[in-house]
Amino acid sequence: MIEMREVNKTYLMGGQPLQALKDLDLNVGPGEYLSVMGPSGSGKSTLLNMIGLLDRPDSGSYRLNDEPTEALSEEARAALRRDNIGFIFQAFHLVGRLSAFENVELPMVLAGVAPAERKRAVNGVLDQVGLLSRSHHRPNQLSGGQLQRVAIARAIVMKPRILLADEPTGNLDQQSGRDIVEVLENLNQEGITLIVVTHDMAMGKRARRRGQMVDGAIVSDDLQSSGAAHAPG
Amino acid sequence: MRLADQLRFNWQVFSGHPLRTALLLLAVAIGVAAVIMLTSLGEGARRYIDAEFSSLGNRLIVVFPGRNETTGGAPPVYGNTARDLTLEDARALGRIPSIRGYAPIIAGTTPVSRGSRSREVITLGTNAGFFDVRQVTASQGRVFPARAETDALAICVLGDKLKQELFGNDWAVGEWVRIGDRRMRVIGVLEDKGESFGMDMSDIVLIPVKTAEQIFNTPGLFRVILELGEGADQDLAIERIYQVIRDRHEGEDDVTVVTQDSILAAFNNILTVLTLAIAAIGAISLVVAGILVMNISLISVSQRRGEIGLLKAIGASRRQVRELFLGESMLLMVLGIVLGAVFAYGVVYVVRGLYPAFPLMPPWWAVPSAALTALSAGLLFSWLPARRASNLDPVLAMRGIAE
């Protein structure tokens, strides 16, 4: 599903090159639950952006669903991202002027899905994250945990095969964080590939497969070290 | 993305910034209204001239002595010719089958007095045909008899204002006035038709053409006004006029023939150019509104970097982001056009009510051209912000970092 080979990415920070990813190899299969941990600046978010087709590698290859992604146009990458990948961010990134319902339906609006179908799907995922009764509330009328649930609903409304979560509990209290992890793990149980980038050791350890990043490389990976298959469930 | 969804998304942006949206709408609406109202003035002037010509009567041809060929513009006041245009010439022209009526004119200024009251007014010597040709009637008394063309009768018809000046509310018909050094009996008072081509028809006195010949001591006419018959071909009639004049003037067609159409066409040309010029001045305000939209859009792109990054992260393509921002400007322009047009038509309606004599009316092309200019300016000036938004790096944009 996700195959990265010798991926490198270097940014210029204040005129100085900073290698965010260094000869990175990664294979993730369907339905896996992978957590990526590591110190700040180790390249976790860059890896997530690379997997989510928000960024391009300087060198190396990245195949998504057996399709090489390097040569794809921006339009094709946007379509691939929309149809296959859901993003969850630490800062939620909800549009303040839109209601919960409207925020969740945004990916479907961009995809040109008919209103009736959108309504059915959005109500379905809002129900799934326990926020159907709050569907007409604006972000400023919701708690942090509820905001992240709306963001999760938005990430899964297009039924993506991959869910990428960047510090999903970073802005939440402990109880809300636990609730969110539960929601994400339930989605993984349903077959969605879940990749979580986190500083939170407790959360990271809940993943069936755990990776550790240092200086742009994965220095430890349960799967690669054990060679075991990680099926969902 | 469906059009309805895009419009809804754009509208949600507007409702999130009501003051900013209102000010931008105002700028666009003012530009559109300026174009419509300014062109209304030009079109109003054109319609006013049209109406004035219509008041002259249907399809008039004016024959001036002198060969200064004129196809439009102001007619020559006095012909520059050795041969006068005479009353006999006028009668001969009146006998052309396609000519329904004719009015020889001798013009001058004379003092008209009654008792101690005296007034210097334009005096026209003409015949009974004048009243039909110029479509004027007497509100009191009667107009000239047919003999007014052949006999130097001591009669006159006063304009309405002149009658008021000399007689006040007294009955004028049958009374005597002094015109120049002659006493003449008032046989009628003209109905008040206001001004016509700068000549105040209410402040004139009409006398028989033969009498005018004696008063002004001239056998030559100032002009002859001819009225074309129903369905008559104007070009053929003009050809016949020249032919009659040549027959009577030893082969010389030493007159100038001006048609109502040619004068009207000249005025129309001038006023159309004038209207276009003021429309262009109005359009400048639309360009200024476009620049304002660009500035606000650039600020909006800067403020909404996070949102743009998010849209890209959840699958929006560059084209979609570009279309969202272009759509915002276009929707703003369309709303501004509607507001501006409604406002301008409202003002035109009110002004027409206040000044019914001036037929203020936007030309048919005012709204389409204002709309086209506004939309073009909107598209042109929002292209840069839209392009900037579509090219934002989603990762940096979501972090709020400028590239």
Side-chain angles (χ1 to χ4, degrees):
Chain A
M1 185 172 223
I2 295 170
E3 293 174 62
M4 287 186 162
R5 290 283 170 273
E6 297 180 351
V7 168
N8 285 283
K9 184 70 184 179
T10 302
Y11 295 110
L12 283 176
M13 300 289 277
Q16 298 295 314
L18 176 76
Q19 191 156 18
L21 297 179
K22 204 181 293 178
D23 292 329
L24 185 136
D25 292 331
L26 181 67
N27 282 338
V28 181
E32 281 201 55
Y33 177 9
L34 167 67
S35 67
V36 180
M37 291 177 285
S40 292
S42 59
K44 305 186 298 292
S45 294
T46 303
L47 172 63
L48 214 60
N49 292 335
M50 205 67 75
I51 295 171
L53 299 170
L54 290 177
D55 214 342
R56 288 177 187 267
D58 296 333
S59 65
S61 69
Y62 171 29
R63 296 171 73 88
L64 179 64
N65 297 335
D66 294 326
E67 188 180 357
T69 62
E70 301 84 44
L72 291 177
S73 68
E74 279 301 321
E75 304 291 310
R77 287 164 69 88
L80 201 58
R81 185 161 60 236
R82 190 184 60 215
D83 296 337
N84 290 279
I85 299 167
F87 273 101
I88 298 162
F89 306 99
Q90 179 178 357
F92 319 130
H93 284 298
L94 298 178
V95 181
R97 64 176 177 276
L98 304 182
S99 67
F101 183 96
E102 288 164 339
N103 267 288
V104 174
E105 77 168 345
L106 258 183
M108 301 191 97
V109 168
L110 292 170
V113 178
E117 192 183 335
R118 287 201 313 249
K119 189 175 179 186
R120 208 166 35 245
V122 172
N123 284 336
V125 291
L126 279 174
D127 192 27
Q128 201 173 344
V129 298
L131 279 181
L132 187 55
S133 62
R134 302 277 184 139
S135 63
H136 295 296
H137 288 219
R138 297 248 171 121
N140 60 5
Q141 297 168 312
L142 298 171
S143 69
Q146 288 169 333
L147 291 173
Q148 196 60 296
R149 284 165 186 264
V150 174
I152 292 171
R154 181 182 63 198
I156 61 173
V157 75
M158 290 290 286
K159 300 190 185 309
R161 299 170 68 183
I162 303 166
L163 203 51
L164 305 177
D166 190 356
E167 304 281 8
T169 59
N171 279 358
L172 303 178
D173 59 66
Q174 272 196 328
Q175 182 56 49
S176 299
R178 276 197 294 273
D179 292 346
I180 290 300
V181 170
E182 194 178 324
V183 171
L184 292 176
E185 288 178 351
N186 285 341
L187 290 167
N188 175 246
Q189 296 284 334
E190 291 169 15
I192 293 180
T193 303
L194 178 62
I195 301 176
V196 181
V197 161
T198 183
H199 276 106
D200 183 350
M201 293 289 285
M203 184 185 181
K205 283 179 178 172
R206 291 176 67 95
R208 287 188 301 279
R209 179 181 169 192
R210 295 177 288 275
Q212 186 75 26
M213 281 193 79
V214 176
D215 293 337
I218 296 177
V219 293
S220 73
D221 183 338
D222 289 352
L223 181 66
Q224 282 166 6
S225 56
S226 67
H230 289 71
Chain B
M1 193 169 182
R2 303 156 82 94
L3 180 63
D5 288 327
Q6 164 144 3
L7 291 175
R8 188 166 59 101
F9 190 87
N10 293 148
W11 182 255
Q12 284 165 337
V13 174
F14 293 161
S15 45
H17 302 89
L19 182 63
R20 188 170 79 184
T21 305
L23 290 174
L24 284 172
L25 279 178
L26 186 65
V28 179
I30 286 173
V32 171
V35 171
I36 295 173
M37 290 193 291
L38 286 173
T39 54
S40 295
L41 287 174
E43 178 69 6
R46 202 182 64 76
R47 284 170 180 249
Y48 178 77
I49 297 290
D50 268 356
E52 287 288 292
F53 271 93
S54 301
S55 75
L56 277 177
N58 193 26
R59 304 183 71 195
L60 298 185
I61 296 175
V62 185
V63 182
F64 298 90
R67 207 184 343 221
N68 298 340
E69 181 60 37
T70 305
T71 57
V77 177
Y78 295 105
N80 183 17
T81 176
R83 202 182 315 273
D84 287 326
L85 188 60
T86 64
L87 193 52
E88 284 307 316
D89 291 333
R91 287 177 186 141
L93 293 174
R95 284 194 291 273
I96 296 173
S98 56
I99 300 297
R100 185 160 72 185
Y102 69 100
I105 306 281
I106 291 175
T109 308
T110 46
V112 179
S113 61
R114 179 205 176 220
S116 59
R117 291 175 171 238
S118 181
R119 189 173 176 83
E120 191 93 1
V121 294
I122 293 170
T123 305
L124 298 184
T126 187
N127 64 354
F130 175 86
F131 299 91
D132 286 335
V133 169
R134 290 297 303 267
Q135 295 186 337
V136 287
T137 55
S139 60
Q140 293 172 22
R142 56 192 171 86
V143 296
F144 288 163
R147 284 200 306 131
E149 187 178 311
T150 52
D151 299 341
L153 303 173
I155 57 172
C156 66
V157 173
L158 303 181
D160 184 64
K161 182 178 175 184
L162 178 61
K163 180 260 168 190
Q164 281 295 326
E165 292 293 328
L166 298 180
F167 291 90
N169 290 327
D170 294 344
W171 188 253
V173 176
E175 298 296 319
W176 291 87
V177 293
R178 182 170 288 279
I179 298 176
D181 58 355
R182 295 179 179 226
R183 291 181 76 236
M184 297 196 197
R185 187 183 290 277
V186 178
I187 64 163
V189 177
L190 288 179
E191 64 171 346
D192 184 12
K193 287 193 76 173
E195 285 202 6
S196 179
F197 282 96
M199 181 185 285
D200 186 355
M201 291 290 283
S202 69
D203 202 15
I204 61 170
V205 59
L206 300 174
I207 59 175
V209 65
K210 276 295 193 187
T211 311
E213 272 184 3
Q214 294 172 4
I215 288 178
F216 297 115
N217 192 27
T218 172
L221 299 177
F222 174 57
R223 65 181 66 168
V224 179
I225 304 174
L226 305 171
E227 183 185 6
L228 267 180
E230 198 76 41
D233 185 296
Q234 182 172 275
D235 292 338
L236 281 177
I238 291 170
E239 192 49 50
R240 282 287 295 143
I241 289 166
Y242 280 121
Q243 196 179 331
V244 167
I245 294 297
R246 275 196 296 272
D247 290 347
R248 299 182 54 78
H249 289 196
E250 299 167 340
E252 294 285 328
D253 51 359
D254 50 359
V255 290
T256 298
V257 177
V258 175
T259 64
Q260 194 174 336
D261 291 347
S262 64
I263 300 174
L264 193 57
F267 272 113
N268 269 338
N269 284 342
I270 293 165
L271 289 170
T272 301
V273 171
L274 186 72
T275 308
L276 285 172
I278 53 180
I281 293 168
I284 292 171
S285 56
L286 276 176
V287 174
V288 173
I291 294 171
L292 190 65
V293 168
M294 180 171 76
N295 281 334
I296 299 295
S297 297
L298 284 171
I299 293 169
S300 176
V301 169
S302 179
Q303 288 176 336
R304 290 162 62 194
R305 301 174 72 83
E307 180 186 325
I308 296 164
L310 169 78
L311 289 174
K312 287 191 151 191
I314 61 175
S317 63
R318 279 182 181 174
R319 185 176 55 81
Q320 280 181 318
V321 172
R322 193 167 56 236
E323 283 173 359
L324 278 176
F325 276 82
L326 288 177
E328 267 180 45
S329 299
M330 290 294 103
L331 184 58
L332 200 65
M333 287 293 175
V334 169
L335 293 174
I337 290 164
V338 172
L339 277 178
V342 168
F343 175 75
Y345 271 90
V347 169
V348 166
Y349 181 79
V350 169
V351 172
R352 280 180 68 133
L354 293 174
Y355 304 101
F358 189 75
L360 199 65
M361 172 59 74
W364 67 266
W365 49 265
V367 173
S369 58
L372 194 65
T373 309
L375 292 175
S376 304
L379 195 64
L380 181 71
F381 289 111
S382 61
W383 186 260
L384 176 68
R387 191 168 163 271
R388 185 169 288 186
S390 69
N391 286 339
L392 282 179
D393 180 306
V395 176
L396 296 180
M398 275 193 290
R399 287 185 194 156
I401 299 171
E403 288 169 65

